[in-house]
Structures are given as structure tokens and as C-alpha cells.
Amino acid sequence: MASHSSSSWSFSDVEYLVGRFNQQPRPQDFEAIETQLQAFQRDESGWQLADSLLTSGDNGVRFFGALTFLTKLNQSGSSLTVEQIYELRARILKRIIEATRRPNDSVVLTKLFGVVSRLISIPQSPWRRPLKDVTTCMILGSGIGDETLYAPTETIFDDNDQWMTLLFNLSAQDSSICLTFATILAEDMLVVPSHQRKVLIERELQNLVDIVPILDTCFSKADISSSSMTETLFPCYLAWITYAKDPFVRPTDEARTVFKLLPRTPAFLTKEESSQSAMEFFIELFNENGSYVQEDTNFKILELLQSSNWAKRHLAVLDNAVANPDQFETDQDIDEWEQALCFGRMVLAFGQFQIVDLFHEFTVTSGNAHERFKCKDVVLPLVQRLIPTQYYKTIDERLSGAIIDFWDNFVVDAMSHSSLENTDELLKPLLEALTLLCFSARLPVVSEFSDQDPNEPMVNFRTRIKDFIQSAYEEFGVAILKALVDITMATSEANSSLEAMCVKAEPSLYFVRGLADFMQDYAEEDQELERLFGSGVFTQIISATPPNRVGRVKRLAISCLGEFSDFFERNEDHLLTALSILFPCLEDQEMAPTAAHSIADLCDRSRSSLIMRLPDLVAGCERLFEEQRYNYQCKADLCRSVASVTQATFSQERKVRTFDSLMDLLEKDFEARLSEGQQSNTSEELVDCARHTLYLLLGISRASQIPDDDGYDPVGLDEPDAWTTEHGRNIQGRILSLVKNAIALDANASSRPGGSVFTEACAIFKAGYREYKPGPFVFQPSVTVDFVTSLDVNDQRQIAAAETASTFVASHSGQDTATKETVWQLVTHVCRVTSNLQHPRNDPLLATVCMQFFEHLTSRNVAILTSSDEFIKLSLNFSLQCLQSPEAGPRGQAATFLASLVSVQNSTPDVEKKVSEIVDSFGEKITTCLINCFGGDASRSELDRLSTPFRELVGRYPTARTWIERALAAPEFPSQGVENKDKRMFAQQVLLVRGGYKMKNVVREFWALCRGTVADYGGI
């Protein structure tokens, strides 16, 4: 194939190449042809030949001609003169007229419309109103002479009134073509780059003025029912609505004229060609809550929802899906289901949009008849009818989510905007919806069904229903709980199997349990809970021995007893009944974990009421430990139950005897698991044994703590506190021995970061620190010293040890000799650790914990810190290193320590004098480090914390002024771009606020200047 130079292109050459190209030649020929056609499009002769190609008898050649025009405009349109643009406009309009007269030339016509859109977007283009010109050409056709087409004006047809009159002469086919062009124009205008939109917005708005009469005419035509008109009219209106909502356009008066046509659009909901897109449009419109939706539009939609075949058809599809969930076999079935779901979402979006007006009365006039109705009479029945369509097999996450969104807004918005004298009219539809939601939330009873439901949309749906019910409960109170209890109790029907009853009762029980933490009016709520827990339904579920098929429901009922532990604390008779139900459940391996957890919750809340049941608890615990098949969580819950009630026991002798029994169980369990681990000869088994034992001990230690609201103090009665006797100390020794044996099993812990076994052991010690009375886990202070100092300074578990020491210091401020000696030894140990660490960057987390220890020491026992020059020197030097560390953790904790030290108050005069001497000695170094942080070394999030010690220094020590000036003048100051005048202003502002609350603002502004985020320092 011969190649062409730029001057040798002819019509026949291009026509031949396009013909070959459309015949799909061999790949090597295809590439060669494509290269030559692209060369033609770049050639200057392409402008003239493109117009000639559009007169070809071949459709493919004409399309290539239109494509060439578009390519030339993209490549060199910006270089066209105004005269050339006028000439090109005339050619394109002429070719558009010709294309409309040819059958099957829609592809060419569409491409020509794209050429028009591109032509008017050229900045120098004088063409302003292509919509008006194209429709005029469509109406007048060949009646437009060259003198009109080539006229150098913004529009070829100036008479606006006559043009609007001529619009009615457009045929349905020509109207459809004009609408197609208008759609392309709107879409193309939106993709113009934003920097060009500002220049082109005026001409764009001219077309916005012209589209309104075109659309209005098409809406008004009698032949709107024709499919060609419907297929193009609504997409065109959508395109212009989208354009009118564009940020550049929305504020204009022209945009509002497009919105005025909204009342014409509900009719498209019933048209098969446009129904889906129309529903999607209204969903988006109502979700945006646009103020441009007129009342007429709402009335028309209400009318369609109330009585149209369109609404009835979609509702029938949804209802049929509930009755026959496996019906979707053909593409048509699936398409109808998708449209029905879309209908449902539109109903809900409309309902949410109208929610504040649901109960307002409206008048609808039909002929001479006047009918008064409320929006709710149409919307609420439809919304409630949608709820049953969302169950296990047919749930759609979009529709189910929209249903809950509606009822959420109903509770919040309808309640807040309602002018009703009482809430009954609001509550009635809400309770009806609640019943339907409980129906939809039912789960299938199948043998493979488990607590971990694979149906994620249903899991999300149930969670959202639960959240909605909680919101409704906070608004309407006990009425919601009563409704759920009624639903649960109504599930027991004559001749109904246990399995069927469980399926029906499970959702309402699940939602009742979700209200456990929201109880408000105890008297009324207790009455409803008494009905529930005393009902035959609840008793049948919880006392049955079901197969796996309904085990989930029984576990739910068992967990409800624990969740409502506050209720049982207030109602002791029901408490004993609940425990009598739960204890037999421990015999069932599947139910035992849930039952044990509920028993533990009940015992924790009602410990003093269950002292007489302590033997039963111990016996149940012993039976559980006899069988290794129960998991350690189950055992831990039973141990926690025993410990809770034991703590409340009056008899000190009974306390130690019960703990003796617990320790026997734990020691035997430890030996049994240890033997299994040794037989397996794996370190993982031994570590699991250690964790298991410590987990049990930790649960017991926390349950043994005296509740914050416990006003009873058994100490000081007829017998001494159990834990100060020899028997009590022996039990403590057994606990410590078990802890040490468990730690010893983690052989590689010293070289492994974290050390979870040791960390759990630390938690056991910390549980005793919060106690203010003797207890089984309140060890002698020396025990903490032995435990913390048992580790080598290089041990990776030093973080946990230092945290334990810090907690001890924070919780012990006594001045007794034993406590002072313990704190002294802990300070000595932490000082050894920090010395060994050398620098915070070597282990930032350990450095942070050590600084936290010094801060707690300063707050609770500053006298110990100031009594040793070695302690002072080491803690202050380490804090300075932390301030200079690149890590935020050590730096922030060091700032907290220094702030606590500088602001020491209410101490002895000797201590306060010593602190002043320390600050005088280290003040300049501290100030320099803090100033460097403000100079850009620290991040912005650290500034408030770092400014605290700085504020204390400035507010308490007059010499701080000298320290600040020296720090700012030092060559080490991190920001070299800050001028001296800015530094002086910063120092002046610091001294001006004198430690006041504005110090943080001063520091932030100076930091911003040093970081270069502001140009100058403007003060406060």
C-alpha cells in the first residue's frame, strides 16, 4: 500500500483506506492503515476533506469524517480564528440536517453532536446557543439558506418567540434526536476542566435557558407515550438536572428553571423504558433532601404509590419473593426483582424525605372532589409491607439498610417535629414495624447453622435492628421493652414444636438482650422482665435439652440471664430461680461456657445475696474441674463466681476455707496440664499451661476485689481479717508459688519481647494494688520487690516489670517503714534499668515506662526521690535524654515528669527547698531542651504536653528569662531561619503570659514559624 504525503490526500484515497479499515484486515495491514489514517487526521487538508467525507454514501466513511472533525478540534481547535469557527459551524449544522434525513445514521449524528460540544468549548468560539440552532435546523431543515448558516452571529436564529412556537412542529423522531444532542451537550459541558468552566460558564448558562422550553415542549406533547420520545426525554432531563446541580451552576437563576420541571417527571416512573432510571433518580434526589423538590412532585408520587399499577406490580414481585424465594430462574425474573428492590428503596427514600410531614394533613383535589389525607396513610403501610421481604433468603443489603435508616429517622425526626399532643400516633406504627422486623430477623433452623452466620447481610441487618431498637427505647422507654416481651411470649402456639417456637422467639430475645445496658425506669422495666423470665416460653427454651438445631437459641436465653444481672440484683427471688436454671446447664458441655459466664455475672452483681449458695458454687466448680473437656474460660468464670461471693462472706474462717478449696483445684489443674505438656515435649504446651493457670488466677484476683459501691466492712468485727492470719498468709504463699511455677514454664521469655506469661503475672499483682483492705492478692510490699527485681536488667520483660513498679508506686503513698523501703528498692532497680539502657532510643517503650515510674514517684513519694542525690541526678539526666529523643513517647512522658517535679506542692519545707535547688541546677538544661522542641524538633501534637513544664518553669522561677534567652541564642537551636526579632518577640510573649493558659498558643505560633508554616511571628 502506497503512503501519502501531506499534499497528496484525496477523497478517494481516504474513502478507500476507511473501507479497508472497516473490513478488519490482517494485523500488519491494520496497523499500516491505522497509521495512514492518523496521518491524514493530522494533515491540514483534514479540515476540508472531513466535510467531503460526510457526503459519502458509505456510513463508515461518514463516521470517519465526523471523527476527523473532532480529532482536528482536539488537536488544533485553539488556533482557529473566529471566521473559521463560523464557517465550521455552518458545515456541521448542514451535515447534521443531512444526517437526520438519512435512515440508520444515528452513530454519525451522535459523533457530529460531539463535534458541536467541542466547538463551543473553544475559548475564542463566538457560538453561544447550539441547542437553539440545532433544533431550528431540525425544524426548518433545508429551508435554511447559506446566508443564515454562515451568518457571523452568536445564534443563527434570533427570533426567540418564533423559535419557541416552532418547537411544537418537531416530530417525535426529530424531538428524540434533539434530546439526544441536548444530553450529549450537558454531559460534555460537565467534563470541561474547571479552569475553563469559569470562562465558559456564561455561554453554558445560555444553553440552560434554551433547554427548558425544549424539555417543556417535549413533556407537553401528546406523543410523549411513544417509546422513542420516552427513551430520550428522561435521560436528557437527568443530564441537565445533573448539570444544574454542578457547583458552578447551582447558585444561578437559570439552574432553578430546570428544577421547576420536576413535577413533570413522576410520569416516567410508570414507563417501562425509563422506570428503573427514574426510580434511581428520585432515590438520589430524596436522599440529597433538595429544597428544589416542589409539593406538586410529592403529590404525584403519593398518587402513584397509592393506586398505580406500577406500584402494585412491584409490590407483587416483592410479596411473591417471600412466598417463593427460589423463583428467580430466568433473567427476566432477576430483572423484575432488581426493579422491585429499586422501587422499595425509592419508597423509603421518599418516606425519609417526607418524614417531618408524615402526620400533616393534605387536601387533594380531583375534579370537584376534595379528599383530605395524611402522608403517613400512604407511606407507612408501604414501608411496613417492605419489611417482611428482607429475610434470610431474600435479603438485599441496600433495601434492608434503607428500611432501618427510615425507622431511625422516624424515631428522631418525626418525634422532634411532631406537633401531636401525645406519642400514641407515633408509637403505633413503630410497634407494628418492630413486630415485622422480629419476623424478618428470624434465622433458619438447620443443622449446619452456627453462631458464626455466613450470611453477612443478615448479620448486619440484625445488628442495625438492634441499634435502632436501642434508639427507640431511649425515646419511648418501656413501651419498646413491653412490645418485645409480648412478641416473645406470643411465639408459644398450640401444637407448635419446640423447634418452631425457638425460631420465632430468637429475634425478640436477641433484641431484648441488646437493651440490657439501657434500662431506665426500674419499676416498669422489672415488671416486664418478670413477665419474660417467668414465662412458659423462656422456661421451655432454657430448660430443654435441644439438639444442635436450636442450641443457639438456648445459649441466647442463658446469656440473657447474665446480661440482666442488675434486674436479678434488685429481685432476689428471681435471682435464685435463675441460678437454679443455670446450674443444670453446666452439665451440658455446649451450654456450660455460656452458663458459667452468666453465673459469674450474677454472682458479681449479687454477691452478698448469694452467700448461702456458696457451697453450691464450690461444688459446681469442683465438678467442672474434674473433667478436662471444659475450656479454661468456663473454669475461669466459675472460679470468678466463687471468688465474688467469697469476698462478700462475713465469716473470715469461711473465706480462707473457700480459697483453700479454690487453690486445691488450681494446683491440681496445673499439675494435670503440666503433665500433658511434659508428655508432648513441646514448649508451646508448657506456655499454654502457664497462661491457663495465670488466667484463672487473674479472674479470681479481680473478682476478689471489694466493689466500689460496697459499704460493708467486715474487718474489725469479732474475728481478725482472714488474710492477716497464718492460714491466710499460707494461701497467699500458695498463690505466689503457682505464679512463680507458671513463669518458670516460659523458658525463652527473657529473650522474647513482650513475654505474655510474665505480663499476666504482673496483672495479678496489680489487681492487689488497687485494694485498700487486706485480701488474698494483697501481698506484702517486699513480694513486689522480689518479683520486679528477679529479672536481669537486660531481660526483655523489664517493660512489664517497670510498669508493675510504676503501678505500685502510684497506688502506695503510705509513710510506713515497709512501704518506704519497698519504694526505695524499686527506685534503685529502675535507676539500674535506665543506666543499663544508656539512651531512650535503644528501647523507647522501656524509656517511656521508666519515665512514667519517676512521674508517679514524684506525685506520690517525692521525698524519696529528693532524699538521694544519685536518684535526682539519674532521673533528671534521663529525662533530658528523653526530651532530646526523636521518639514522642519518652519525650511526652519526660515532660509530664518534669511538670510534676517543678510544680511540687503541699510537701514539707525541706522537700520544697530541695526541689528548688534541683530546678536551679537543671533549669537551664531543661529549658534548652524544651525550647529546641518548640523550635521544630517536636511534632505539633506534642506541643501541649511539652508546654506544661515550660509554663511551670516560667511561672515559678524568675531566672527562666535568662534560660530562655540563652537557649534561643544557642548555636544548637534547630531552626536557623528564624530571625532574632522573632526570637525576642517569642521571649517577650512567654514572659508576658507568665505561665498562664495562653502559653500554649504562644508556643504553637512559634513552632509554626520555626517549621516554616507561617511567614512571621505575630504574637498572641
Side-chain angles (χ1 to χ4, degrees):
M1 181 181 299
S3 61
H4 294 265
S5 65
S6 61
S7 60
S8 60
W9 291 105
S10 66
F11 176 89
S12 58
D13 290 336
V14 178
E15 189 176 39
Y16 170 77
L17 288 172
V18 173
R20 288 289 312 280
F21 184 86
N22 291 334
Q23 292 172 4
Q24 299 181 346
R26 295 175 302 172
Q28 56 269 33
D29 292 341
F30 182 90
E31 292 179 6
I33 295 171
E34 184 180 40
T35 301
Q36 292 198 60
L37 289 176
Q38 290 173 349
F40 159 71
Q41 289 179 326
R42 290 191 298 270
D43 192 83
E44 189 61 30
S45 62
W47 290 108
Q48 189 66 38
L49 278 176
D51 187 51
S52 300
L53 292 173
L54 283 165
T55 64
S56 171
D58 184 271
N59 183 278
V61 175
R62 292 196 302 276
F63 177 81
F64 183 75
L67 180 63
T68 300
F69 267 134
L70 189 59
T71 303
K72 298 296 291 181
L73 285 171
N74 289 331
Q75 290 175 351
S76 54
S78 59
S79 62
L80 293 175
T81 64
V82 172
E83 291 74 17
Q84 288 173 328
I85 292 173
Y86 282 135
E87 183 180 354
L88 186 56
R89 178 184 69 177
R91 292 183 187 178
I92 298 301
L93 288 174
K94 194 171 185 179
R95 302 310 171 204
I96 287 175
I97 295 172
E98 294 170 356
T100 59
R101 302 298 175 254
R102 295 192 192 96
N104 304 320
D105 217 14
S106 59
V107 177
V108 176
L109 197 56
T110 300
K111 188 58 65 176
L112 286 171
F113 290 155
V115 174
V116 174
S117 294
R118 182 67 186 91
L119 184 59
I120 67 165
S121 68
I122 297 173
Q124 72 272 23
S125 175
W127 196 10
R128 294 289 186 270
R129 307 179 73 174
L131 269 176
K132 187 176 182 182
D133 291 344
V134 168
T135 52
T136 301
C137 290
M138 295 287 300
I139 297 167
L140 301 179
S142 58
I144 297 181
D146 287 350
E147 68 283 356
T148 301
L149 285 176
Y150 286 89
T153 55
E154 292 184 0
T155 174
I156 63 171
F157 197 78
D158 287 328
D159 192 333
N160 200 57
D161 292 336
Q162 185 181 0
W163 172 70
M164 294 183 68
T165 303
L166 289 173
L167 287 176
F168 284 93
N169 296 327
L170 275 173
S171 65
Q173 181 180 354
D174 287 348
S175 295
S176 180
I177 293 173
C178 287
L179 291 170
T180 300
F181 166 60
T183 304
I184 292 172
L185 182 64
E187 292 172 347
D188 286 352
M189 286 194 299
L190 276 177
V191 299
V192 174
S194 58
H195 66 278
Q196 294 184 24
R197 292 289 303 282
K198 296 177 182 179
V199 178
L200 302 175
I201 189 66
E202 183 180 347
R203 72 182 67 170
E204 289 181 5
L205 294 179
Q206 288 288 331
N207 291 285
L208 199 57
V209 171
D210 292 338
I211 190 58
V212 173
I214 294 173
L215 289 170
D216 192 33
T217 301
C218 292
F219 278 132
S220 302
K221 280 180 176 291
D223 56 357
I224 188 174
S225 58
S226 68
S227 60
S228 62
M229 176 76 80
T230 305
E231 288 176 359
T232 53
L233 178 54
F234 191 68
C236 180
Y237 184 69
L238 284 185
W240 283 95
I241 278 285
T242 303
Y243 173 76
K245 291 190 291 185
D246 181 75
F248 283 100
V249 183
R250 188 186 305 160
T252 64
D253 292 336
E254 289 85 352
R256 283 186 277 276
T257 61
V258 178
F259 294 124
K260 289 180 180 178
L261 296 174
L262 265 176
R264 304 289 194 96
T265 55
F268 289 96
L269 290 166
T270 62
K271 308 296 180 183
E272 183 177 352
E273 301 85 357
S274 60
S275 181
Q276 179 83 21
S277 58
M279 287 189 290
E280 295 285 359
F281 164 70
F282 280 111
I283 291 171
E284 181 180 351
L285 193 68
F286 293 133
N287 286 339
E288 290 176 351
N289 200 24
S291 58
Y292 35 75
V293 180
Q294 299 97 331
E295 200 171 77
D296 288 351
T297 308
N298 297 333
F299 283 155
K300 290 183 178 180
I301 291 177
L302 278 171
E303 186 178 7
L304 290 173
L305 292 176
Q306 188 173 27
S307 57
S308 71
N309 291 330
W310 162 76
K312 293 175 182 177
R313 183 177 72 252
H314 289 312
L315 287 169
V317 173
L318 290 168
D319 292 341
N320 191 39
V322 177
N324 305 289
D326 300 321
Q327 65 173 326
F328 306 118
E329 297 179 354
T330 67
D331 290 342
Q332 182 178 354
D333 292 336
I334 295 172
D335 184 61
E336 288 178 353
W337 172 244
E338 287 295 327
Q339 287 200 39
L341 291 175
C342 190
F343 166 80
R345 289 191 290 119
M346 198 206 87
V347 170
L348 292 161
F350 177 70
Q352 284 195 67
F353 179 71
Q354 291 287 103
I355 209 154
V356 297
D357 294 324
L358 280 178
F359 295 89
H360 291 177
E361 200 167 46
F362 298 98
T363 301
V364 176
T365 302
S366 179
N368 295 324
H370 302 279
E371 181 182 359
R372 297 185 65 79
F373 74 102
K374 292 182 179 180
C375 183
K376 74 174 182 66
D377 298 331
V378 177
V379 173
L380 290 181
L382 286 175
V383 172
Q384 290 173 340
R385 191 169 172 181
L386 292 173
I387 296 174
T389 67
Q390 299 302 291
Y391 75 110
Y392 193 82
K393 286 189 176 182
T394 61
I395 188 166
D396 177 85
E397 204 151 15
R398 296 166 300 173
L399 182 55
S400 63
I403 288 172
I404 302 303
D405 287 340
F406 173 85
W407 290 110
D408 270 336
N409 287 317
F410 181 87
V411 169
V412 177
D413 293 336
M415 190 71 180
S416 61
H417 289 87
S418 176
S419 58
L420 301 175
E421 294 182 359
N422 58 65
T423 60
D424 289 346
E425 195 170 358
L426 287 170
L427 190 57
K428 183 180 177 181
L430 189 67
L431 297 182
E432 291 173 357
L434 194 58
T435 303
L436 293 169
L437 287 168
C438 286
F439 170 82
S440 288
R442 292 177 183 177
L443 299 170
V445 180
V446 292
S447 57
E448 67 269 19
F449 193 80
S450 66
D451 289 342
Q452 300 300 319
D453 190 354
N455 189 336
E456 186 175 347
M458 176 54 77
V459 172
N460 295 337
F461 186 40
R462 283 164 58 94
T463 301
R464 291 210 58 196
I465 294 174
K466 182 180 70 173
D467 294 342
F468 150 68
I469 289 174
Q470 291 169 354
S471 299
Y473 179 82
E474 290 181 330
E475 194 68 55
F476 294 99
V478 73
I480 302 299
L481 176 62
K482 182 180 184 302
L484 290 172
V485 173
D486 289 342
I487 294 168
T488 305
M489 296 178 67
T491 57
S492 178
E493 302 172 355
N495 303 320
S496 178
S497 65
L498 172 65
E499 184 176 290
M501 184 182 70
C502 286
V503 169
K504 296 174 183 177
E506 190 273 342
S508 53
L509 268 182
Y510 173 72
F511 300 137
V512 166
R513 187 181 67 177
L515 294 177
D517 294 331
F518 293 82
M519 299 286 103
Q520 297 171 349
D521 189 339
Y522 292 150
E524 293 187 6
E525 288 159 350
D526 283 3
Q527 184 178 352
E528 296 304 323
L529 293 175
E530 284 180 18
R531 283 206 306 136
L532 174 65
F533 293 130
S535 67
V537 174
F538 196 85
T539 305
Q540 288 181 64
I541 292 174
I542 209 166
S543 61
T545 47
N548 291 336
R549 293 165 65 85
V550 291
R552 176 185 186 133
V553 187
K554 181 171 182 178
R555 281 192 294 274
L556 174 61
I558 291 171
S559 69
C560 279
L561 296 176
E563 292 290 340
F564 286 96
S565 56
D566 287 350
F567 162 78
F568 291 105
E569 182 187 16
R570 296 190 298 270
N571 299 272
E572 189 172 332
D573 292 342
H574 291 284
L575 170 66
L576 298 177
T577 302
L579 287 173
S580 66
I581 292 174
L582 289 171
F583 274 117
C585 295
L586 294 174
E587 304 298 327
D588 186 336
Q589 185 177 354
E590 290 189 6
M591 298 296 130
T594 310
H597 193 75
S598 289
I599 291 172
D601 288 341
L602 291 174
C603 290
D604 182 59
R605 291 297 303 174
S606 308
R607 52 182 69 191
S608 59
S609 301
L610 295 173
I611 294 174
M612 300 305 295
R613 298 297 302 268
L614 186 56
D616 296 333
L617 290 170
V618 174
C621 199
E622 289 173 345
R623 286 195 299 272
L624 210 65
F625 271 80
E626 287 175 0
E627 299 190 45
Q628 290 297 318
R629 59 195 177 99
Y630 291 104
N631 63 39
Y632 69 91
Q633 179 63 60
C634 188
K635 295 176 182 178
D637 284 331
L638 259 293
C639 288
R640 185 159 62 92
S641 304
V642 173
S644 297
V645 179
T646 302
Q647 180 276 321
T649 302
F650 299 166
S651 170
Q652 302 298 301
E653 187 275 331
R654 192 176 187 183
K655 281 187 178 183
V656 294
R657 191 171 67 244
T658 304
F659 260 90
D660 254 341
S661 300
L662 277 179
M663 292 310 302
D664 287 341
L665 293 176
L666 264 63
E667 288 167 349
K668 289 179 182 178
D669 187 68
F670 177 76
E671 293 297 331
R673 293 183 64 88
L674 177 60
S675 176
E676 291 177 4
Q678 290 171 339
Q679 290 176 8
S680 67
N681 198 28
T682 60
S683 59
E684 290 80 6
E685 288 286 342
L686 295 175
V687 170
D688 285 343
C689 171
R691 288 174 178 162
H692 169 92
T693 301
L694 292 175
Y695 184 80
L696 296 178
L697 279 173
L698 182 59
I700 295 172
S701 70
R702 289 173 175 167
S704 300
Q705 294 172 345
I706 300 173
D708 294 334
D709 58 351
D710 189 354
Y712 175 71
D713 184 2
V715 180
L717 296 180
D718 295 336
E719 45 188 327
D721 191 278
W723 310 110
T724 63
T725 65
E726 183 179 357
H727 196 173
R729 288 195 293 271
N730 287 338
I731 292 174
Q732 287 187 333
R734 294 172 69 182
I735 293 173
L736 289 172
S737 177
L738 205 53
V739 170
K740 292 176 181 177
N741 291 336
I743 293 173
L745 294 180
D746 196 2
N748 300 319
S750 62
S751 60
R752 185 175 61 247
S756 61
V757 172
F758 189 83
T759 302
E760 290 181 23
C762 291
I764 295 172
F765 281 90
K766 292 176 186 177
Y769 296 159
R770 75 177 295 270
E771 293 297 302
Y772 55 92
K773 297 177 182 177
F777 293 87
V778 182
F779 305 115
Q780 292 295 316
S782 59
V783 173
T784 295
V785 173
D786 294 340
F787 177 70
V788 171
T789 59
S790 64
L791 300 180
D792 182 79
V793 290
N794 293 312
D795 197 303
Q796 293 290 318
R797 295 171 292 180
Q798 278 294 352
I799 294 174
E803 285 179 338
T804 305
S806 179
T807 306
F808 181 90
V809 170
S811 56
H812 290 75
S813 58
Q815 300 301 313
D816 59 281
T817 304
T819 300
K820 286 183 177 180
E821 180 63 27
T822 300
V823 173
W824 184 277
Q825 291 175 296
L826 291 176
V827 176
T828 303
H829 176 74
V830 173
C831 285
R832 287 176 53 224
V833 172
T834 55
S835 297
N836 182 71
L837 186 58
Q838 295 182 353
H839 198 281
R841 64 172 171 266
N842 294 329
D843 193 335
L845 182 55
L846 179 57
T848 303
V849 175
C850 289
M851 287 312 310
Q852 183 185 57
F853 172 86
F854 287 124
E855 188 269 321
H856 287 161
L857 179 65
T858 305
S859 302
R860 306 286 283 182
N861 286 286
V862 67
I864 293 179
L865 178 66
T866 58
S867 64
S868 168
D869 290 340
E870 181 183 356
F871 291 166
I872 293 170
K873 181 179 179 181
L874 196 145
S875 61
L876 267 294
N877 285 331
F878 191 71
S879 68
L880 293 174
Q881 287 182 323
C882 289
L883 286 177
Q884 296 168 343
S885 169
E887 300 289 340
R891 186 158 50 208
Q893 196 60 55
T896 304
F897 160 66
L898 291 169
S900 179
L901 180 65
V902 174
S903 60
V904 163
Q905 292 179 340
N906 302 323
S907 191
T908 64
D910 289 341
V911 170
E912 292 182 2
K913 179 181 178 183
K914 186 65 176 179
V915 169
S916 295
E917 293 173 358
I918 294 170
V919 176
D920 287 337
S921 177
F922 286 87
E924 184 170 349
K925 294 180 181 178
I926 295 171
T927 303
T928 300
C929 290
L930 292 172
I931 289 291
N932 288 343
C933 289
F934 304 151
D937 282 352
S939 63
R940 191 184 189 284
S941 61
E942 301 175 74
L943 295 180
D944 286 355
R945 202 172 181 185
L946 290 168
S947 64
T948 304
F950 188 63
R951 185 179 68 235
E952 297 294 340
L953 281 170
V954 174
R956 294 172 184 271
Y957 293 88
T959 51
R961 175 172 188 165
T962 304
W963 299 338
I964 293 171
E965 291 173 351
R966 290 176 182 174
L968 290 170
E972 295 82 13
F973 184 74
S975 181
Q976 300 302 319
V978 179
E979 298 180 8
N980 289 331
K981 66 179 182 66
D982 295 319
K983 293 180 180 180
R984 286 194 298 270
M985 183 177 288
F986 169 66
Q988 290 170 3
Q989 295 292 347
V990 166
L991 295 172
L992 179 64
V993 298
R994 265 294 173 195
Y997 71 94
K998 290 186 176 181
M999 177 70 79
K1000 292 180 179 180
N1001 296 334
V1002 175
V1003 167
R1004 287 195 200 104
E1005 291 185 16
F1006 185 67
W1007 175 88
L1009 177 67
C1010 294
R1011 281 291 186 99
T1013 55
V1014 294
D1016 54 26
Y1017 184 72
I1020 59 174

